[in-house]
Short mmCIF file of all heavy atoms in Angstrom, two decimals:
data_model
loop_
_atom_site.label_atom_id
_atom_site.label_comp_id
_atom_site.label_asym_id
_atom_site.label_seq_id
_atom_site.Cartn_x
_atom_site.Cartn_y
_atom_site.Cartn_z
N GLY A 1 34.05 -47.37 -6.24
CA GLY A 1 34.44 -46.61 -5.06
C GLY A 1 35.94 -46.66 -4.78
O GLY A 1 36.38 -46.20 -3.73
N ALA A 2 36.73 -47.24 -5.73
CA ALA A 2 38.17 -47.28 -5.52
C ALA A 2 38.86 -45.94 -5.83
O ALA A 2 40.02 -45.74 -5.47
CB ALA A 2 38.77 -48.40 -6.40
N ALA A 3 38.14 -45.03 -6.49
CA ALA A 3 38.72 -43.73 -6.83
C ALA A 3 37.56 -42.71 -6.89
O ALA A 3 36.45 -43.03 -7.26
CB ALA A 3 39.43 -43.78 -8.17
N ASP A 4 37.86 -41.46 -6.51
CA ASP A 4 36.87 -40.40 -6.60
C ASP A 4 36.83 -39.83 -8.03
O ASP A 4 35.77 -39.51 -8.51
CB ASP A 4 37.20 -39.28 -5.64
CG ASP A 4 37.07 -39.72 -4.18
OD1 ASP A 4 36.21 -40.59 -3.93
OD2 ASP A 4 37.81 -39.22 -3.35
N ASP A 5 37.95 -39.73 -8.66
CA ASP A 5 38.03 -39.22 -10.03
C ASP A 5 39.12 -40.03 -10.76
O ASP A 5 39.95 -40.66 -10.14
CB ASP A 5 38.43 -37.74 -10.05
CG ASP A 5 37.31 -36.85 -9.53
OD1 ASP A 5 36.18 -36.97 -10.07
OD2 ASP A 5 37.59 -36.05 -8.60
N GLY A 6 39.10 -39.94 -12.07
CA GLY A 6 40.10 -40.63 -12.85
C GLY A 6 40.48 -39.76 -14.04
O GLY A 6 39.67 -39.04 -14.60
N PHE A 7 41.77 -39.77 -14.37
CA PHE A 7 42.29 -38.98 -15.50
C PHE A 7 43.20 -39.84 -16.33
O PHE A 7 44.00 -40.62 -15.81
CB PHE A 7 43.05 -37.76 -15.00
CG PHE A 7 42.25 -36.84 -14.17
CD1 PHE A 7 42.19 -36.94 -12.82
CD2 PHE A 7 41.52 -35.80 -14.79
CE1 PHE A 7 41.43 -36.08 -12.01
CE2 PHE A 7 40.73 -34.97 -14.02
CZ PHE A 7 40.69 -35.08 -12.65
N ALA A 8 43.11 -39.70 -17.64
CA ALA A 8 44.02 -40.35 -18.55
C ALA A 8 44.60 -39.30 -19.46
O ALA A 8 43.87 -38.44 -19.98
CB ALA A 8 43.29 -41.43 -19.37
N ILE A 9 45.90 -39.30 -19.64
CA ILE A 9 46.54 -38.35 -20.52
C ILE A 9 47.09 -39.13 -21.70
O ILE A 9 47.82 -40.11 -21.54
CB ILE A 9 47.67 -37.61 -19.78
CG1 ILE A 9 47.10 -36.81 -18.63
CG2 ILE A 9 48.45 -36.71 -20.77
CD1 ILE A 9 48.11 -36.15 -17.74
N VAL A 10 46.73 -38.67 -22.89
CA VAL A 10 47.19 -39.32 -24.10
C VAL A 10 48.09 -38.32 -24.82
O VAL A 10 47.66 -37.22 -25.12
CB VAL A 10 46.02 -39.70 -25.01
CG1 VAL A 10 46.50 -40.35 -26.29
CG2 VAL A 10 45.07 -40.66 -24.26
N LEU A 11 49.29 -38.70 -25.06
CA LEU A 11 50.27 -37.87 -25.74
C LEU A 11 50.61 -38.45 -27.10
O LEU A 11 51.00 -39.62 -27.17
CB LEU A 11 51.57 -37.76 -24.88
CG LEU A 11 52.70 -36.92 -25.45
CD1 LEU A 11 52.26 -35.46 -25.56
CD2 LEU A 11 53.90 -37.07 -24.52
N THR A 12 50.39 -37.70 -28.15
CA THR A 12 50.65 -38.18 -29.50
C THR A 12 51.06 -37.05 -30.41
O THR A 12 50.69 -35.90 -30.18
CB THR A 12 49.45 -38.94 -30.09
OG1 THR A 12 49.81 -39.44 -31.38
CG2 THR A 12 48.22 -38.03 -30.23
N ASN A 13 51.78 -37.39 -31.44
CA ASN A 13 52.13 -36.41 -32.49
C ASN A 13 51.48 -36.84 -33.80
O ASN A 13 51.82 -36.32 -34.85
CB ASN A 13 53.65 -36.28 -32.63
CG ASN A 13 54.31 -37.61 -33.00
OD1 ASN A 13 53.68 -38.69 -32.96
ND2 ASN A 13 55.57 -37.54 -33.34
N ASP A 14 50.54 -37.74 -33.74
CA ASP A 14 49.85 -38.24 -34.92
C ASP A 14 48.47 -37.54 -35.06
O ASP A 14 47.58 -37.85 -34.24
CB ASP A 14 49.70 -39.78 -34.80
CG ASP A 14 49.09 -40.40 -36.02
OD1 ASP A 14 48.47 -39.67 -36.85
OD2 ASP A 14 49.20 -41.62 -36.16
N PRO A 15 48.26 -36.69 -36.03
CA PRO A 15 47.01 -35.97 -36.14
C PRO A 15 45.78 -36.80 -36.40
O PRO A 15 44.68 -36.38 -36.16
CB PRO A 15 47.25 -34.97 -37.28
CG PRO A 15 48.41 -35.52 -38.05
CD PRO A 15 49.23 -36.31 -37.08
N SER A 16 45.99 -38.06 -36.82
CA SER A 16 44.80 -38.90 -37.06
C SER A 16 44.04 -39.18 -35.77
O SER A 16 42.86 -39.53 -35.84
CB SER A 16 45.22 -40.20 -37.73
OG SER A 16 45.97 -41.01 -36.84
N TYR A 17 44.64 -39.00 -34.62
CA TYR A 17 43.92 -39.25 -33.36
C TYR A 17 42.94 -38.12 -33.04
O TYR A 17 41.87 -38.39 -32.55
CB TYR A 17 44.92 -39.40 -32.20
CG TYR A 17 45.65 -40.70 -32.27
CD1 TYR A 17 46.93 -40.79 -32.86
CD2 TYR A 17 45.10 -41.85 -31.80
CE1 TYR A 17 47.59 -41.98 -32.94
CE2 TYR A 17 45.75 -43.07 -31.84
CZ TYR A 17 47.01 -43.13 -32.43
OH TYR A 17 47.67 -44.31 -32.52
N TRP A 18 43.27 -36.88 -33.31
CA TRP A 18 42.34 -35.79 -32.96
C TRP A 18 41.55 -35.30 -34.17
O TRP A 18 40.60 -34.57 -34.00
CB TRP A 18 43.08 -34.64 -32.30
CG TRP A 18 44.08 -33.92 -33.12
CD1 TRP A 18 43.87 -32.98 -34.04
CD2 TRP A 18 45.51 -34.15 -33.09
NE1 TRP A 18 45.04 -32.57 -34.60
CE2 TRP A 18 46.08 -33.26 -34.04
CE3 TRP A 18 46.36 -34.98 -32.38
CZ2 TRP A 18 47.46 -33.22 -34.28
CZ3 TRP A 18 47.71 -34.94 -32.62
CH2 TRP A 18 48.23 -34.06 -33.54
N GLN A 19 41.90 -35.67 -35.37
CA GLN A 19 41.14 -35.26 -36.54
C GLN A 19 39.98 -36.20 -36.83
O GLN A 19 39.11 -35.86 -37.59
CB GLN A 19 42.03 -35.13 -37.77
CG GLN A 19 42.98 -33.99 -37.67
CD GLN A 19 43.95 -33.93 -38.83
OE1 GLN A 19 44.09 -34.89 -39.60
NE2 GLN A 19 44.63 -32.83 -38.98
N GLY A 20 39.99 -37.37 -36.22
CA GLY A 20 38.94 -38.29 -36.46
C GLY A 20 39.05 -38.91 -37.83
O GLY A 20 40.09 -38.87 -38.46
N GLY A 21 37.96 -39.47 -38.34
CA GLY A 21 37.97 -40.09 -39.65
C GLY A 21 36.59 -39.92 -40.26
O GLY A 21 35.62 -39.66 -39.59
N GLU A 22 36.55 -40.14 -41.56
CA GLU A 22 35.28 -39.97 -42.25
C GLU A 22 34.69 -41.28 -42.75
O GLU A 22 33.53 -41.34 -43.09
CB GLU A 22 35.48 -39.01 -43.42
CG GLU A 22 35.85 -37.61 -42.96
CD GLU A 22 36.09 -36.66 -44.12
OE1 GLU A 22 35.75 -37.05 -45.28
OE2 GLU A 22 36.61 -35.58 -43.90
N ARG A 23 35.53 -42.31 -42.82
CA ARG A 23 35.06 -43.60 -43.33
C ARG A 23 34.11 -44.24 -42.32
O ARG A 23 34.40 -44.36 -41.16
CB ARG A 23 36.19 -44.51 -43.62
CG ARG A 23 37.03 -44.07 -44.80
CD ARG A 23 38.20 -44.94 -45.07
NE ARG A 23 37.82 -46.38 -45.07
CZ ARG A 23 38.68 -47.36 -44.85
NH1 ARG A 23 39.95 -47.08 -44.60
NH2 ARG A 23 38.30 -48.60 -44.87
N GLU A 24 32.96 -44.71 -42.81
CA GLU A 24 31.99 -45.38 -41.96
C GLU A 24 32.17 -46.90 -42.17
O GLU A 24 32.67 -47.35 -43.19
CB GLU A 24 30.57 -44.97 -42.34
CG GLU A 24 30.31 -43.49 -42.09
CD GLU A 24 30.45 -43.10 -40.63
OE1 GLU A 24 30.10 -43.90 -39.73
OE2 GLU A 24 30.93 -41.99 -40.37
N GLY A 25 31.71 -47.65 -41.21
CA GLY A 25 31.73 -49.11 -41.34
C GLY A 25 33.11 -49.72 -41.11
O GLY A 25 33.29 -50.90 -41.43
#
């Protein structure tokens, strides 16, 4: 109850963050 909503903004120029990965484990 300390906040009604929460937002986090992530700024990056590294495509590995939004492309994900395929390696499991």
Side-chain angles (χ1 to χ4, degrees):
D4 294 328
D5 291 305
F7 299 92
I9 298 173
V10 178
L11 178 64
T12 182
N13 59 349
D14 184 343
S16 67
Y17 288 96
W18 64 82
Q19 289 176 345
E22 296 179 11
R23 291 179 46 203
E24 297 298 324

